Amino acid sequence: MIQGIGVTDFFIISTLMFFIGVYGFITRKNLITILIAIELILNAVAINFVIINKYLYPEGLHGQIFSIFIIAVAAAEVAIAIAIVIDFYRTNKSVNVDESEMMKY
Amino acid sequence: MDLSNFFSIMRGEIVLAAIILILLLAEIATKDKKKIVDLAIGLFLIHTIFGFFGVGEGVLFGGMFKASPIVNLFKNILNVGVLIILFQSASWVKGKLEEHNRVSEFYILLFASLLGMYYMISAGDFLMFYIGIEMASLPVAGLAAFDIYQKRSAEAALKYIFLAAITSGISLLGISFLYSASGTIFFDELKPFMTNDSLITLGFLFFLVGLLFKISIVPFHLWTADVYEGAPIGVTSYLSVISKGAAAFILIIILFTMAKPIMELWREVIYMLSILTMFIGNIFALRQKNMKRFLAFSSIAQAGFIILGMLSGTQLGMSAVVFFIATYIFSNLGAFGVVYAIANQSGKENMDDYNGFYRTNPLLSVLMMLALFSLAGIPPVAGFFGKFFLFMSAASAGYYWLILFAVINVTISLYYYLLVVRAMFVRQNDNPIPAFKSDVYMKIGLILPAIGIFVLGLYSPIYEHINELVGMFLK
């Protein structure tokens, strides 16, 4: 625990991060930027878990273990997503999300 | 920890992981890659058969992993579905070998995803659940991009992985809310905390997003049609039956055990979503010309029926849902199998290409008709009893209006399923798909769903068995 910084301050930060991520996911056109937005979302949740563990339930370690797994899974997710983006780039010569419109309706 | 106990409880997972390792080694060791197809199918066949015998019951890792007879039944149902998909996709995979020298990746990714589903279904806490659901969805994104020279395939994988990532983020936020309200991530310890507290409500609804996305319930259904159309057909059928079935199984376990105290809350949500899903799935299915897209929207509508059965919250409801998913797996795989066989031979996927199909390939047309009748719910076949038990469970809880909407939807769905049957049997075509013979694997993959459709419809002890296991689970 850090002196002078309460649990609400951390929640404000993590909520801001989460919704900046959601905003970026919806508005950005570049696939790599959308991936960064997803990273923001996942890291916001990881902060949430650590803070809840540290401030509210310091007797267990569930939250911190959970955040480590979130980081690990996020890394795997980004690795696969990047591979798919590269595959998409090879067929479309672009990483713009507007190009992915072959199938709709 | 008793080691023999450990092996008996986790046998399915250990064997499947061993199969993945054997395939990795076989990829290094063999020159003749075609043998890997036979090896993978053989190993998985053995795994499926032994899954029916003597898997233990108990709890591992301090409550993170749970095994019970009903969970083993879920795994067996998924195994049979995957086995059918393996048979159907064998000749396509062999074709890929000539195209870009890739065989074992398909099986390794498929089995890794199935392993994730095992963990997801037997999860006892949110950590295991989260690892399972991610392990189940990430390999499927790779599989969807398996046709690496096709634009559509890359686009499908792109849509799937990005949307899966953001829904799992939202779901995780919900889990963190539940954790902040209760201080635990174990389902059993969480149960006393489930009240109408606003933090719990918000957290639980956010958490549901991740699962409803996998079952493609309506506000989260937009990926379904695109991914189903773009992915290779074997992966499409995997997504539409196995992925959906596994998510529905864990959803029903969570709703009926952990979330039982807030039943009034999730009942309202599921009620609205069920009506929306049935109507939107059916109405969009009416205007589809591509068969994969058509089956995608029909599977959205079927998802509406699946969650309809969860409303009652009783033993009857749960056995009805499990039985319905079993019938749905067989019927949908029958329909996908025929689409697969036709696409393999001629590359045609549109409904107009099926005109006059009965003249050239009568057996395949009859199987397609059976599968579609079973999906629509016409009496002699399995789908009728699946829908009948679902409606019965909803009626027992007093949801008469919902049943009225559901019956309207069954009628709409009957119309568009019959469109395909009419195209095959009635319509004339100067240039129909020529008569063809499939290989042995494809034949087995088409006969198994046909047997399943009849056996589930005519042999009632299966339903009794499911009902008994569900009763043991809910007690």
Side-chain angles (χ1 to χ4, degrees):
Chain A
M1 258 182 265
I2 307 166
Q3 219 64 44
I5 302 178
V7 65
T8 9
D9 302 335
F10 279 109
F11 277 138
I12 289 169
I13 291 286
S14 76
T15 314
L16 271 177
M17 262 174 81
F18 187 87
F19 284 101
I20 290 170
V22 172
Y23 176 80
F25 185 87
I26 294 168
T27 56
R28 291 290 159 164
K29 299 289 176 211
N30 189 305
L31 287 170
I32 306 292
T33 330
I34 295 176
L35 265 184
I36 297 171
I38 290 173
E39 276 299 287
L40 272 181
I41 292 173
L42 292 174
N43 284 330
V45 178
I47 291 179
N48 244 358
F49 270 107
V50 174
I51 292 309
I52 292 164
N53 194 173
K54 198 79 184 157
Y55 278 78
L56 302 178
Y57 304 103
E59 68 278 0
L61 278 175
H62 292 152
Q64 299 189 30
I65 302 289
F66 211 121
S67 66
I68 290 173
F69 274 99
I70 291 174
I71 294 165
V73 171
E77 197 150 31
V78 167
I80 294 177
I82 288 280
I84 289 170
V85 170
I86 291 171
D87 184 29
F88 183 75
Y89 178 75
R90 282 203 188 123
T91 50
N92 284 19
K93 295 286 167 246
S94 159
V95 286
N96 194 330
V97 74
D98 289 339
E99 300 288 321
S100 66
E101 53 167 20
M102 265 189 79
M103 300 170 289
K104 50 186 176 183
Y105 311 121
Chain B
M1 189 165 52
D2 184 6
L3 208 61
S4 68
N5 193 22
F6 173 76
F7 278 116
S8 90
I9 292 173
M10 274 188 90
R11 197 182 69 196
E13 286 76 9
I14 294 170
V15 171
L16 196 56
I19 291 176
I20 294 172
L21 290 178
I22 292 171
L23 287 178
L24 274 171
L25 292 177
E27 164 74 17
I28 301 168
T30 53
K31 287 272 181 291
D32 185 12
K33 297 283 163 66
K34 275 193 179 158
K35 278 184 186 152
I36 291 178
V37 177
D38 306 325
L39 179 70
I41 293 177
L43 286 174
F44 196 79
L45 180 66
I46 295 167
H47 169 60
T48 307
I49 291 169
F50 278 94
F52 283 97
F53 301 107
V55 177
E57 178 177 4
V59 172
L60 288 177
F61 303 117
M64 282 176 81
F65 186 94
K66 284 187 199 164
S68 60
I70 188 76
V71 170
N72 293 329
L73 177 75
F74 291 168
K75 288 175 187 168
N76 288 334
I77 292 175
L78 296 181
N79 277 345
V80 173
V82 171
L83 186 68
I84 294 172
I85 292 173
L86 289 184
F87 280 126
Q88 290 178 352
S89 59
S91 60
W92 176 80
V93 174
K94 281 180 185 162
K96 284 290 127 181
L97 184 68
E98 288 148 22
E99 194 180 318
H100 50 56
N101 199 20
R102 242 164 260 233
V103 172
S104 50
E105 283 94 333
F106 181 81
Y107 294 107
I108 291 167
L109 288 173
L110 199 71
F111 293 157
S113 166
L114 184 66
L115 186 60
M117 277 163 201
Y118 281 5
Y119 284 124
M120 182 169 85
I121 297 173
S122 26
D125 76 341
F126 280 120
L127 184 56
M128 188 60 109
F129 167 81
Y130 172 65
I131 296 168
I133 201 169
E134 288 295 317
M135 199 169 159
S137 70
L138 293 182
V140 176
L143 281 176
F146 203 72
D147 264 334
I148 54 169
Y149 297 119
Q150 285 212 4
K151 260 187 172 181
R152 291 200 305 180
S153 191
E155 191 182 320
L158 199 69
K159 283 173 175 166
Y160 184 71
I161 192 150
F162 277 77
L163 293 174
I166 192 169
T167 43
S168 78
I170 294 171
S171 186
L172 273 176
L173 186 73
I175 295 173
S176 82
F177 285 170
L178 289 177
Y179 178 52
S180 73
S182 66
T184 179
I185 51 172
F186 287 91
F187 293 157
D188 294 340
E189 294 174 16
L190 209 57
K191 197 175 172 184
F193 289 95
M194 299 304 270
T195 51
N196 276 336
D197 178 57
S198 53
L199 191 60
I200 289 276
T201 308
L202 191 65
F204 187 68
L205 291 181
F206 274 2
F207 161 69
L208 278 186
V209 170
L211 277 176
L212 296 183
F213 168 82
K214 284 271 176 319
I215 319 179
S216 61
I217 299 301
V218 150
F220 320 108
H221 72 292
L222 287 165
W223 62 281
T224 315
D226 290 358
V227 175
Y228 283 21
E229 188 186 343
I233 304 179
V235 182
T236 305
S237 47
Y238 182 81
L239 271 171
S240 82
V241 296
I242 308 299
S243 180
K244 186 175 280 195
F249 285 146
I250 184 67
L251 178 65
I252 197 166
I253 288 177
I254 288 176
L255 289 184
F256 279 50
T257 57
M258 185 192 91
K260 192 86 175 172
I262 50 167
M263 202 157 120
E264 292 310 314
L265 168 76
W266 58 256
R267 260 187 171 172
E268 280 175 40
V269 178
I270 299 278
Y271 183 91
M272 295 307 294
L273 293 185
S274 168
I275 293 178
L276 261 178
T277 309
M278 286 188 291
F279 270 106
I280 291 186
N282 276 327
I283 288 167
F284 276 84
L286 286 176
R287 56 194 288 272
Q288 300 305 327
K289 293 282 167 255
N290 181 298
M291 277 308 284
K292 276 155 91 182
R293 225 175 155 75
F294 165 80
L295 284 171
F297 279 107
S298 108
S299 86
I300 294 176
Q302 301 282 342
F305 289 111
I306 292 177
I307 60 169
L308 181 151
M310 298 179 187
L311 278 168
S312 69
T314 56
Q315 182 188 348
L316 181 65
M318 185 161 171
S319 4
V321 171
V322 176
F323 185 74
F324 182 77
I325 292 173
T327 64
Y328 167 75
I329 284 180
F330 284 118
S331 337
N332 222 17
L333 282 180
F336 268 117
V338 177
V339 175
Y340 211 156
I342 293 171
N344 263 350
Q345 296 291 332
S346 60
K348 288 179 178 170
E349 282 176 7
N350 280 333
M351 207 187 283
D352 295 338
D353 300 329
Y354 286 33
N355 289 350
F357 189 59
Y358 177 69
R359 297 282 155 75
T360 50
N361 294 286
L363 276 175
L364 277 179
S365 322
V366 170
L367 173 63
M368 184 73 162
M369 186 186 76
L370 264 180
L372 292 177
F373 279 3
S374 178
L375 282 173
I378 288 177
V381 282
F384 168 72
F385 293 100
K387 285 215 169 66
F388 174 74
F389 289 130
L390 280 185
F391 292 173
M392 202 164 74
S393 77
S396 71
Y399 288 103
Y400 297 111
W401 278 105
L402 184 64
I403 295 175
L404 180 68
F405 288 129
V407 170
I408 292 172
N409 274 296
V410 170
T411 320
I412 301 175
S413 73
L414 192 58
Y415 167 72
Y416 62 71
Y417 288 132
L418 285 181
L419 277 184
V420 182
V421 177
R422 185 184 67 160
M424 290 188 308
F425 284 84
V426 181
R427 286 261 179 103
Q428 302 294 324
N429 193 350
D430 301 332
N431 187 19
I433 298 166
F436 60 81
K437 287 246 182 292
S438 307
D439 64 343
V440 183
Y441 280 140
M442 185 55 117
K443 276 180 188 157
I444 300 173
L446 291 171
I447 290 168
L448 279 179
I451 294 173
I453 290 170
F454 274 115
V455 168
L456 281 178
L458 299 174
Y459 187 64
S460 67
I462 294 177
Y463 178 75
E464 305 289 330
H465 179 63
I466 293 175
N467 202 12
E468 187 187 326
L469 293 183
V470 168
M472 276 161 61
F473 176 74
L474 288 178
K475 201 159 56 191

